[in-house]
């Protein structure tokens, strides 16, 4: 039964895409992310890339900056006590390339119940992503909650990325960026296998990009426009199974030659 359900969701993902230039289908893939700034980053370019690829996408994000899986679960528990007025999350949404909700508020249960989501995406906070012990009970409880509230939804994990070399927390962690990546990759892989979840491999793809530090602007550890474009390409390729190396959309701030490098990199994990 579960395999049939997963197959149906995958078919729905693929059915919406058309070759750029052809008429788009009207049904949108509804995707909800429960995350933080690393998931809010997905909304910067993914909607435009999906639209350019002819893939109707309704993408929403619940976020609190730096929010970990443990804090997400704590907020679910708090909401059960405080009621619907407890709405600690910012809520942004893009529907078929248009910004339809800006800086709304919500809680996790309310958001899950508000739509028949096709996909729900989780991720760990970047500062804890490398430590598998921090995923612990929270990821189990959150997955069980999603499966109760949205049994037809496919649950996925966004693999976040390691910090650039100038980030001071690497020294605090006691290792460099490549080691942070190895550890976070192992953690996401562990829980992906444990719960049979597909991973959106943003962190892994970022490791393959030539001149990786160009994805960030010092002293930040968040993606800049290049990184956001790469992230959107990986998301679109993963959600819809399309070849984004053919994506006709390039942000004005990105050199076309560099955009070609990013498009090619996004397909390396497919």
């Amino acid at each position: 039964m579960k395999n049939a359900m997963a197959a149906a969701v995958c078919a729905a993902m693929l059915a919406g895409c058309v070759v750029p230039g052809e008429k788009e289908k009207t049904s949108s893939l509804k995707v909800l992310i429960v995350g933080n700034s690393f998931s809010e980053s997905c909304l910067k370019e993914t909607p435009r890339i999906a639209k350019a690829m002819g893939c109707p996408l309704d993408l929403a994000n619940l976020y609190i900056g730096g929010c970990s899986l443990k804090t997400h679960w704590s907020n679910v528990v708090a909401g059960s006590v405080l009621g619907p007025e407890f709405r600690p999350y910012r809520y942004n949404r893009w529907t078929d390339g248009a910004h339809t909700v800006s800086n709304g508020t919500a809680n996790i249960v309310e958001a899950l119940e508000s739509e028949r989501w096709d996909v729900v995406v989780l991720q760990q906070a970047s500062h804890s992503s490398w430590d598998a012990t921090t995923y612990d009970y929270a990821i189990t409880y959150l997955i069980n909650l999603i499966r109760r509230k949205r049994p037809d939804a496919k649950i996925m994990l966004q693999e976040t990325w390691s910090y650039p070399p100038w980030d001071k927390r690497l020294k605090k962690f006691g290792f460099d960026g490549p080691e942070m990546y190895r550890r976070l990759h192992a953690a996401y892989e562990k829980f992906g296998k444990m719960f049979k979840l597909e991973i959106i491999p943003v962190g892994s793809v970022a490791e393959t990009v030539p001149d990786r530090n160009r994805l960030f602007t010092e002293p930040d550890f968040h993606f800049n426009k290049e990184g956001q474009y790469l992230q959107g390409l990986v998301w679109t390729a993963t959600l819809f199974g399309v070849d984004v190396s053919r994506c006709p959309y390039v942000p004005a701030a990105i050199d076309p030659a560099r955009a070609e490098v990013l498009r090619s990199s996004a397909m390396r994990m497919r």
Side-chain angles (χ1 to χ4, degrees):
M1 186 67 166
K2 288 184 179 179
N3 289 338
M5 186 183 300
V9 172
C10 289
M13 291 179 180
L14 296 173
C17 293
V18 294
V19 175
E22 294 183 1
K23 188 176 181 180
E24 295 182 10
K25 303 284 180 66
T26 56
S27 59
S28 299
L29 185 72
K30 293 182 179 292
V31 181
L32 174 68
I33 321 169
V34 179
N36 48 49
S37 61
F38 277 34
S39 61
E40 184 66 10
S41 177
C42 297
L43 275 62
K44 303 301 183 183
E45 294 296 341
T46 306
R48 297 182 180 91
I49 292 167
K51 186 174 179 64
M53 293 299 298
C55 299
L57 175 64
D58 187 353
L59 180 63
N61 183 47
L62 283 176
Y63 79 101
I64 296 172
C67 198
S68 67
L69 293 168
K70 182 178 179 180
T71 302
H72 287 313
W73 181 249
S74 295
N75 287 336
V76 171
V77 174
S80 69
V81 175
L82 299 174
E85 296 304 312
F86 180 68
R87 308 175 97 219
Y89 290 86
R90 287 292 181 185
Y91 180 73
N92 284 312
R93 187 169 183 173
W94 286 75
T95 305
D96 298 332
H99 199 176
T100 51
V101 180
S102 179
N103 287 324
T105 59
N107 61 59
I108 291 176
V109 172
E110 174 187 29
L112 286 171
E113 294 177 341
S114 68
E115 295 279 357
R116 295 180 65 86
W117 301 105
D118 299 304
V119 180
V120 180
V121 182
L122 297 172
Q123 62 173 55
Q124 178 58 299
S126 63
H127 55 267
S128 301
S129 60
W130 57 271
D131 184 354
T133 65
T134 64
Y135 295 64
D136 204 10
Y137 63 86
I139 192 169
T140 302
Y141 291 166
L142 287 166
I143 288 170
N144 288 341
L145 173 69
I146 296 165
R147 286 176 173 164
R148 287 199 311 273
K149 297 293 183 179
R150 292 267 70 98
D152 294 335
K154 180 176 183 178
I155 304 173
M156 303 177 74
L157 298 176
Q158 175 181 221
E159 180 192 51
T160 52
W161 52 91
S162 62
Y163 294 159
W166 53 75
D167 196 284
K168 295 178 180 179
R169 283 168 296 183
L170 290 172
K171 184 176 181 180
K172 180 180 177 181
F173 296 158
F175 45 73
D176 60 9
E179 179 62 20
M180 181 180 177
Y181 164 70
R182 284 190 287 272
R183 295 189 187 198
L184 72 84
H185 178 72
Y188 279 107
E189 192 173 55
K190 172 184 176 180
F191 291 101
K193 289 180 178 177
M194 181 182 298
F195 295 102
K196 297 181 172 59
L197 308 179
E198 184 177 356
I199 293 172
I200 304 171
V202 178
S204 291
V205 171
E207 290 297 308
T208 73
V209 175
D211 199 1
R212 180 183 183 275
N213 290 345
R214 285 184 59 176
L215 301 176
F216 312 87
T217 301
E218 193 171 358
D220 207 353
F221 60 96
H222 293 94
F223 279 154
N224 59 20
K225 183 60 70 174
E226 283 194 7
Q228 291 163 358
Y229 183 59
L230 178 73
Q231 186 178 20
L233 292 166
V234 175
W235 270 70
T236 303
T238 305
L239 288 175
F240 295 100
V242 292
D243 181 0
V244 293
S245 66
R246 304 181 304 127
C247 181
Y249 165 71
V250 177
I254 300 179
D255 178 78
R258 180 63 173 175
E260 185 175 353
V261 169
L262 297 173
R263 289 194 300 266
S264 297
S265 297
M267 294 305 297
R268 289 200 183 114
M269 310 305 294
R270 303 305 301 161

